[in-house]
Amino acid sequence: MKIKDIIGSEQVTISFEVFPPKSSEKFENVLRACESIASLKPAYISVTYGAGGGRSAFTAELAQQIQEKTGVPVLAHLTCVSSTREIVEDMLDEYKNRGITNVLALRGDIPEGGCMEEDYHYAGELVAEIRKKGDFCIGGACYPEGHIECEHKADDLKHLKEKVDAGCDFLTTQMFFDNNIFYNFLYRAKDIGIQVPVVPGIMPITTAKQLSRSVAMSGTNVPDRFRAIVDRFGSDPKAMMQAGIVYASEQIIDLIANGIRHVHVYSMNKPEVAEAIIRNLTDILNMHV
């Protein structure tokens, strides 16, 4: 099923993100975690491509296994900053051959050492390439607070509009911890002419270390209210996990109460986190809005 059809429905949905293993020895453990998350019946599961500008050899295989074994639609990530045109074409052929029809097109992180290929510089170029390649549903990333490498929000929105015009069917946001930032972003995106659905991305922060790492990578603003939670509970793993899940659940409830129907959760490979989020939203997810 195409993601654009799922998020075009009136049903309130939750989707989750997982990441592939770094080695074949860990593949089965990761697959079991993904199957546990899939058993919660999310709208779809996205599978990341790699970290630090690299790529995983297992993204396509993991995405295929999840889709075939659980029946949950998958969204496979694809980055371009460290890829040649030939690599991208090979990956798209592999996705197609494995029955993967949803692709999240990303620039990706600049590789360590700053070595980049020359074929792609921006995600919009990748979107255009995928659009020419076949019948894929294409997602793109967006940054409610502006991309960390872009000095002005207006310029970032202009680049986002160019990416959407290149062929994005929907957008998913970087994590944020203040919903007002997201609502303001929606207004500014609509004002510039961005009409595709925007799915908010929520990350449950379950350790103090996770927060500092996430902020360093994305530049995300952390409200004083959430900093107080981390300061108070960060040294107690169980308390911090519970507090982080509750905070993320409250964000999702507020989003749905304000008319947002579809939310993507960066639960990574943690079935216990995904399950706790779903448990907090059981009746809400049965609603039509």
Side-chain angles (χ1 to χ4, degrees):
M1 179 177 278
K2 299 288 181 66
I3 304 300
K4 63 182 179 181
D5 296 326
I6 294 172
I7 62 179
S9 74
E10 297 296 313
Q11 180 70 41
V12 176
T13 71
I14 297 291
S15 53
F16 294 112
E17 183 165 290
V18 300
F19 58 87
K22 294 182 178 179
S23 65
S24 58
E25 291 78 15
K26 296 180 180 179
F27 187 88
E28 288 302 320
N29 288 338
V30 170
L31 180 59
R32 280 195 293 271
C34 294
E35 288 176 333
S36 294
I37 292 173
S39 71
L40 301 170
K41 302 188 185 310
Y44 58 92
I45 291 176
S46 72
V47 183
T48 65
Y49 194 61
R55 62 192 180 100
S56 169
F58 302 103
T59 296
E61 182 178 357
L62 183 61
Q64 179 187 19
Q65 292 273 10
I66 292 170
Q67 190 161 264
E68 291 184 350
K69 289 182 177 239
T70 71
V72 175
V74 294
L75 172 64
H77 293 208
L78 180 61
T79 65
C80 63
V81 71
S82 57
S83 295
T84 62
R85 197 172 302 277
E86 289 73 22
I87 289 174
V88 165
E89 289 180 353
D90 287 346
M91 285 304 304
L92 291 173
D93 285 339
E94 182 173 2
Y95 285 166
K96 188 181 296 185
N97 292 336
R98 289 179 180 269
I100 298 165
T101 58
N102 302 293
V103 178
L104 186 65
L106 305 164
R107 186 199 70 168
D109 299 324
I110 302 297
E112 294 182 11
C115 181
M116 297 170 57
E117 296 290 345
E118 293 298 319
D119 287 347
Y120 303 98
H121 299 90
Y122 304 103
E125 297 168 325
L126 177 60
V127 170
E129 190 79 12
I130 299 171
R131 183 56 67 204
K132 291 187 298 184
K133 186 67 176 176
D135 186 26
F136 289 103
C137 174
I138 307 171
C142 59
Y143 302 84
E145 297 166 79
H147 194 285
I148 193 169
E149 295 176 20
C150 192
E151 185 175 356
H152 302 292
K153 288 184 179 180
D155 291 337
D156 189 52
L157 270 177
K158 177 184 174 184
H159 296 320
L160 181 62
K161 178 66 163 55
E162 292 169 352
K163 181 163 60 176
V164 170
D165 290 345
C168 277
D169 294 302
F170 68 96
L171 298 168
T172 303
T173 77
Q174 172 66 271
M175 75 188 82
F176 55 88
F177 303 111
D178 181 349
N179 285 4
N180 288 326
I181 290 173
F182 175 70
Y183 299 138
N184 180 264
F185 170 76
L186 286 183
Y187 176 82
R188 290 185 292 111
K190 185 177 181 180
D191 190 55
I192 201 174
I194 294 173
Q195 300 294 332
V196 298
V198 180
V199 180
I202 299 297
M203 176 173 279
I205 297 294
T206 55
T207 69
K209 182 179 179 181
Q210 184 185 12
L211 178 65
S212 60
R213 183 171 63 246
S214 299
V215 171
M217 290 179 62
S218 66
T220 304
N221 176 65
V222 182
D224 290 341
R225 174 172 172 258
F226 191 48
R227 285 196 183 276
I229 289 172
V230 177
D231 288 345
R232 176 65 180 85
F233 304 115
S235 60
D236 186 323
K238 289 184 178 180
M240 186 62 235
M241 175 172 282
Q242 186 175 58
I245 289 169
V246 168
Y247 189 92
S249 299
E250 289 180 350
Q251 276 192 273
I252 296 170
I253 291 169
D254 178 79
L255 289 165
I256 295 171
N258 282 280
I260 304 301
R261 292 195 300 270
H262 310 284
V263 180
H264 191 58
V265 179
Y266 298 114
S267 57
M268 309 316 286
N269 297 3
K270 298 178 180 178
E272 67 278 12
V273 172
E275 182 179 2
I277 292 286
I278 292 292
R279 193 185 309 124
N280 288 341
L281 303 170
T282 301
D283 292 330
I284 291 171
L285 292 178
N286 288 325
M287 294 177 59
H288 286 72
V289 296

